[in-house]
Amino acid sequence: MKKRLITGDRPTGRLHIGHYFGSLKKRVEMQNSGEYDPYILIADVQALTDNFNNPEKVHKNVREVAMDYLSVGIDPQKSTIYIQSMIPEVAELTVFYSNLVTIARLQRNPTVKTEIAQKKDLFGESVTYGFLGYPVSQAADITAFEGEVVPVGEDQLPLIEQCHEIVRKFNSIYGDTLVEPKAVLSEAKRIKGLDGNEKMGKSLGNAIYLSDTPEEITKKVMSAVTDPNRIRKDDLGNPDICMVAYYHKLFTPKEEVDTVCAECRAGKRGCVACKKQLAHNIIETLRPIREKRAYYEARPEEVDRILIEGTTKAQKVAKETMKKVKKAMKLDYFE
Ligand code: SF4
């Protein structure tokens, strides 16, 4: 019996290579292992928690994210891709679960605390009820589909812990109904931005997108931060503080990387040539993804059909869970 796996992304922009190395690659591997039944949600409602004033952005990016999924190898025959807002049971469960979580507990959640601090520009001193409560809706996302496995990064473990607490409390009050998910720590690494920033993102302008053209990739790589002490080609360099060397390690074969680093240290390598070589390798690595994405870009009706089919399948599963939940909560009138 395949384990139900729940994962997803907020549609706030196209996906970049940070997402690819951070989660997408692993998801495709898990999908293809045959051990899992993946449900991949495009979390538009969650995206609205900090983009409530920009619904166009969220709307537009639902299809962008779907195309990114398909282009990296998420296979709609093996994975169910669905749109969160089209599953009303998730919103309903969020309301029921809200009675089982205190405000103080949400405020203590380390992940929420960090994210609120990062969004000071949006919220000022007073965070919205929706944003503070997003771990509750995330618990609904997981339990609506009886999720058994949730791949997460270490920084997201407190969200799964919050989900466990909700499930346990629900089951202790209303009887054994909800499935408690297991967090699987992904070993995937977090990829730094081209400017050396720990985070890669659109707002930071330091990301290479899966859909970037070869020209865009080349332009971005040429602007990457290098060893600032190198002025001339024969200056001895330090690849350990150069983002070009960092990206070579992701996109260039090991022997070539060794040569890059050795020549840099010996002052036998020019930064311009080094960047051109990297740009070429990134362009070639992403070529199959870019080509597959172009296929779907030219066929929006096919993307919509995949989303409709995935969402319809997800709706059926969530309805079954809701029947059990309402029965347990004595809300099953007239049945
Ligand atoms: Fe970086 Fe390459 Fe220049 Fe060395 S030669 S500093 S690795 S870009």
Side-chain angles (χ1 to χ4, degrees):
M1 186 80 168
K2 289 183 181 179
K3 289 195 186 112
R4 180 76 49 81
L5 180 147
I6 313 289
T7 177
D9 291 281
R10 292 154 31 101
T12 52
R14 292 174 293 145
L15 301 182
H16 50 62
I17 57 171
H19 294 113
Y20 182 67
F21 288 106
S23 57
L24 297 176
K25 219 170 155 218
K26 181 76 186 164
R27 266 183 221 168
V28 173
E29 279 167 28
M30 290 176 97
Q31 165 197 273
N32 293 339
S33 73
E35 282 178 51
Y36 302 97
D37 174 20
Y39 274 62
I40 307 182
L41 76 145
I42 303 184
D44 56 345
V45 177
Q46 199 188 321
L48 285 169
T49 58
D50 54 349
N51 289 277
F52 50 83
N53 48 2
N54 200 349
E56 292 80 16
K57 172 177 155 188
V58 176
H59 180 92
K60 171 179 168 287
N61 282 305
V62 166
R63 282 181 184 80
E64 294 291 338
V65 168
M67 287 193 288
D68 284 329
Y69 284 163
L70 296 166
S71 69
V72 296
I74 297 292
D75 177 353
Q77 299 301 321
K78 297 177 183 166
S79 293
T80 305
I81 308 172
Y82 65 97
I83 303 174
Q84 186 187 32
S85 64
M86 293 181 75
I87 315 291
E89 287 77 10
V90 169
E92 235 178 317
L93 284 176
T94 304
V95 174
F96 297 159
Y97 296 169
S98 301
N99 296 322
L100 310 177
V101 188
T102 66
I103 305 276
R105 175 66 183 88
L106 287 168
Q107 285 169 330
R108 278 200 313 273
N109 186 309
T111 313
V112 178
K113 260 166 109 174
T114 309
E115 291 187 3
I116 289 176
Q118 286 167 351
K119 298 199 185 295
K120 226 171 169 96
D121 286 354
L122 177 68
F123 294 126
E125 291 309 313
S126 188
V127 68
T128 60
Y129 164 65
F131 192 83
L132 181 66
Y134 92 78
V136 182
S137 77
Q138 225 170 48
D141 283 326
I142 299 167
T143 53
F145 298 96
E146 305 195 323
E148 295 166 272
V149 175
V150 185
V152 287
E154 201 147 1
D155 55 338
Q156 290 180 315
L157 280 175
L159 298 175
I160 305 301
E161 188 46 44
Q162 187 102 60
C163 177
H164 288 164
E165 286 172 25
I166 291 170
V167 169
R168 284 174 205 157
K169 191 144 186 193
F170 186 102
N171 287 348
S172 73
I173 297 172
Y174 304 113
D176 255 350
T177 312
L178 302 176
V179 174
E180 195 170 319
K182 188 169 174 282
V184 175
L185 257 189
S186 71
E187 297 135 26
K189 43 190 159 190
R190 177 173 283 222
I191 306 299
K192 292 184 191 176
L194 289 162
D195 55 357
N197 194 306
E198 286 300 323
K199 223 177 148 190
M200 180 179 274
K202 187 178 181 190
S203 55
L204 300 164
N206 62 1
I208 293 176
Y209 292 91
L210 298 173
S211 48
D212 276 348
T213 62
E215 294 72 29
E216 285 168 326
I217 293 171
T218 305
K219 196 167 165 220
K220 287 179 180 179
V221 171
M222 295 316 276
S223 73
V225 169
T226 57
D227 175 354
N229 298 319
R230 275 195 105 211
I231 314 286
R232 290 185 307 271
K233 186 183 165 185
D234 50 6
D235 287 338
L236 305 189
N238 179 4
D240 296 340
I241 56 168
C242 171
M243 292 315 297
V244 177
Y246 174 88
Y247 279 98
H248 266 302
K249 288 174 191 153
L250 295 169
F251 290 97
T252 302
K254 169 87 176 69
E255 317 77 67
E256 259 183 70
V257 175
D258 292 344
T259 309
V260 166
C261 294
E263 288 183 359
C264 174
R265 288 185 202 285
K268 290 189 174 151
R269 166 169 282 259
C271 290
V272 171
C274 192
K275 286 175 171 178
K276 280 187 180 160
Q277 182 188 357
L278 172 63
H280 170 82
N281 291 350
I282 297 179
I283 289 165
E284 288 312 310
T285 307
L286 298 184
R287 183 179 295 283
I289 294 176
R290 211 168 34 248
E291 287 176 356
K292 206 160 175 196
R293 204 179 192 283
Y295 169 92
Y296 285 108
E297 278 168 13
R299 293 165 183 81
E301 66 294 338
E302 198 168 326
V303 179
D304 283 0
R305 182 186 53 75
I306 289 166
L307 285 173
I308 292 167
E309 284 177 8
T311 303
T312 305
K313 186 178 162 198
Q315 282 166 341
K316 284 190 191 134
V317 177
K319 269 199 172 63
E320 285 307 307
T321 306
M322 185 50 75
K323 261 193 210 162
K324 294 182 206 168
V325 165
K326 286 200 167 169
K327 190 161 187 269
M329 295 180 75
K330 313 284 180 232
L331 297 171
D332 55 340
Y333 307 108
F334 315 121
E335 283 192 5

